[in-house]
Amino acid sequence: AIQLTQSPSSLSASVGDRVTITCRASQGISSALAWYQQKPGKAPKLLIYDASSLESGVPSRFSGSGSGTDFTLTISSLQPEDFATYYCQQFNSYPQPLTFGGGTKVEIK
Amino acid sequence: EVQLVESGGGLVQPGRSLRLSCAASGFTFDDYAMHWVRQAPGKGLEWVSGISWNSGSIGYADSVKGRFTISRDNAKNSLYLQMNSLRAEDTALYYCAKVFGYQLLFHAFDIWGQGTMVTVSS
């Protein structure tokens, strides 16, 4: 199965900071990558699909980039409502299993 | 309103079975693949299984292959997960999720249910 490694696993940041989370795939997945935000007690929410396409209704401070094996989620100016856990997911692999990264928890500094 | 509502979770003994259901509304159910994703308490997301719009293609995580069976009934706008030979490590919140891409088996998940909890314990 394709492994996704997210880094860092957690970070502390302040409101207004620029935050970058990376996701590395164990083999090339083209642009078949999505990013999700999950808050405690809630289902995940799709932010980015196809590596860089912003889901409808998601604020433009979120952006995604990358292709092949290296991907990035950037929050240009962190807002109070952005403190959450973020996951990457690859969907290039059928019939191999679809996989998620281990998550990155963004906490308040 | 686009909505997914899971049901069927509960407390079950190891080795027993459970069937989860997911009722869909607000979109054309038979145009989209559907998936199950689980999350153990305090842990990350784990893909479990997915089924294409017409049930022609199905996939499973290695951890559940041979024990779990995914199915759908397009006439009832419903997705199912039959879980047999349950183990303690299957304890998790189980989400159903809709694929974003029209008639794609694997893609991002744009709609998620609220989840149904499965606890496997004696």
Side-chain angles (χ1 to χ4, degrees):
Chain A
I2 297 174
Q3 316 276 349
L4 294 179
T5 303
Q6 279 185 243
S7 60
S9 56
S10 65
L11 65 90
S12 295
S14 301
V15 172
D17 284 352
R18 182 181 182 88
V19 169
T20 299
I21 299 168
T22 65
C23 179
R24 175 163 288 176
S26 59
Q27 58 187 268
I29 57 170
S30 186
S31 297
L33 190 100
W35 290 96
Y36 300 87
Q37 175 193 70
Q38 188 179 34
K39 296 181 179 180
K42 300 292 187 181
K45 174 187 175 182
L46 178 64
L47 301 175
I48 301 287
Y49 62 94
D50 294 343
S52 61
S53 296
L54 191 68
E55 168 68 334
S56 176
V58 173
S60 59
R61 63 181 179 273
F62 291 93
S63 64
S65 64
S67 68
T69 60
D70 293 306
F71 301 87
T72 299
L73 173 70
T74 300
I75 309 172
S76 60
S77 178
L78 198 65
Q79 297 301 301
E81 60 268 30
D82 300 336
F83 292 96
T85 300
Y86 294 83
Y87 294 92
C88 58
Q89 172 219 1
Q90 68 79 20
F91 45 87
N92 187 60
S93 55
Y94 186 78
Q96 292 187 69
L98 185 154
T99 48
F100 288 91
T104 295
K105 187 173 184 178
V106 177
E107 299 177 300
I108 301 172
K109 181 183 279 185
Chain B
E1 180 192 6
V2 177
Q3 195 172 11
L4 298 171
V5 179
E6 302 94 336
S7 60
L11 174 63
V12 62
Q13 292 179 328
R16 304 298 291 265
S17 299
L18 207 58
R19 188 194 196 207
L20 306 184
S21 299
C22 172
S25 59
F27 65 97
T28 305
F29 183 72
D30 54 11
D31 276 346
Y32 296 94
M34 297 292 296
H35 291 250
W36 291 97
V37 176
R38 68 185 181 185
Q39 187 168 35
K43 302 297 185 182
L45 301 170
E46 180 188 16
W47 176 75
V48 174
S49 181
I51 185 169
S52 63
W53 62 278
N54 63 354
S55 304
S57 296
I58 286 174
Y60 296 98
D62 290 343
S63 58
V64 307
K65 198 173 295 182
R67 300 188 298 123
F68 290 11
T69 301
I70 192 172
S71 62
R72 64 189 294 160
D73 185 337
N74 287 345
K76 295 183 177 179
N77 288 351
S78 293
L79 175 72
Y80 306 100
L81 186 68
Q82 177 68 42
M83 304 186 296
N84 299 332
S85 304
L86 282 161
R87 305 167 180 167
E89 54 264 36
D90 296 319
T91 294
L93 185 64
Y94 284 73
Y95 294 103
C96 68
K98 168 189 169 290
V99 160
F100 176 75
Y102 175 73
Q103 293 193 353
L104 295 177
L105 173 60
F106 273 13
H107 202 245
F109 301 150
D110 62 340
I111 305 297
W112 296 66
Q114 84 289 348
T116 186
M117 187 68 201
V118 172
T119 303
V120 183
S121 174
S122 54

